[in-house]
Amino acid sequence: LAPPAWETLCYHPARCMPVRMLVEHRITEVAMHGWDIRAPSDPSTHLAPESFPAFFTIIMERVVTRAFRPDARRSRPIGYRFVVTGPLTTTTDIVLSPEGACVAPTGQAEVDVCFRCEAEPSILVMFGRRPLEAAIATGEGTVEGDHALAVAFGQSFQGG
């Protein structure tokens, strides 16, 4: 496709979306479900690093808003920063508020909790395949800041 064609709207059962997003969505579906099938019988299974950019695009555009529902028990917005390293390096700020969740402009505000991890564990956490607490407990990630808020993030997360 020519570059402008990637933004052409096309049909998806959830909603109309650009061709680019439909392709990224399909890549993540095939890669994640392939992992789902292989991982129970082969714990050394990994996601293909070539799929990481599509996963992070989908996390930014879709997963965060689906994974966290509005919650009136949240008394104030709470900022979480994910610093991801490995074959794909990125930083994402997520804000949880009573209204739900959103991806915030990175680095423009102080955050309450910072998670640091490699790309694959981050993807598995954001897609609900690995509990955040498990990633921290196994050393796949570290947390800086209020540990109670880190636990609250994991408990609020309903999977993307």
Side-chain angles (χ1 to χ4, degrees), residues 6 8 15 18 22 34 42 45 64 71 88 90 94 103 120 126 129 132 137 142:
W6 284 102
T8 302
R15 64 181 171 95
L22 183 67
D42 181 4
T45 296
V64 170
D71 189 343
L88 184 119
T90 186
I94 298 171
V103 175
E120 184 177 64
M126 285 302 204
R129 294 333 194 258
L132 179 62
T142 61

Side-chain angles (χ1 to χ4, degrees), residues 15-158:
R15 64 181 171 95
C16 286
M17 61 179 63
V19 170
R20 167 193 53 80
M21 188 182 288
L22 183 67
V23 170
E24 290 165 340
H25 178 78
R26 189 69 182 139
I27 288 169
T28 62
E29 289 285 319
V30 170
M32 187 58 72
H33 292 310
W35 182 90
D36 290 336
I37 291 166
R38 293 185 315 273
S41 62
D42 181 4
S44 67
T45 296
H46 292 282
L47 295 168
E50 298 84 5
S51 66
F52 292 176
F55 277 111
F56 281 99
T57 298
I58 295 297
I59 288 168
M60 298 283 284
E61 293 180 351
R62 192 160 168 244
V63 172
V64 170
T65 56
R66 287 182 48 199
F68 298 95
R69 307 304 189 274
D71 189 343
R73 294 174 295 174
R74 294 184 194 122
S75 59
R76 67 174 179 87
I78 301 168
Y80 296 89
R81 179 165 292 145
F82 283 82
V83 179
V84 177
T85 59
L88 184 119
T89 301
T90 186
T91 301
T92 303
D93 285 0
I94 298 171
V95 177
L96 300 186
S97 69
E99 295 78 29
C102 67
V103 175
T106 302
Q108 291 190 2
E110 291 293 317
V111 294
D112 299 285
V113 178
C114 180
F115 298 107
R116 296 181 186 279
C117 60
E118 297 262 333
E120 184 177 64
S122 176
I123 292 166
L124 294 173
V125 166
M126 285 302 204
F127 277 76
R129 294 333 194 258
R130 181 161 299 144
L132 179 62
E133 294 82 7
I136 293 168
T138 60
E140 292 177 299
T142 61
V143 62
E144 301 163 10
D146 187 332
H147 190 73
L149 291 177
V151 171
F153 181 90
Q155 292 169 344
S156 298
F157 184 76
Q158 298 179 18

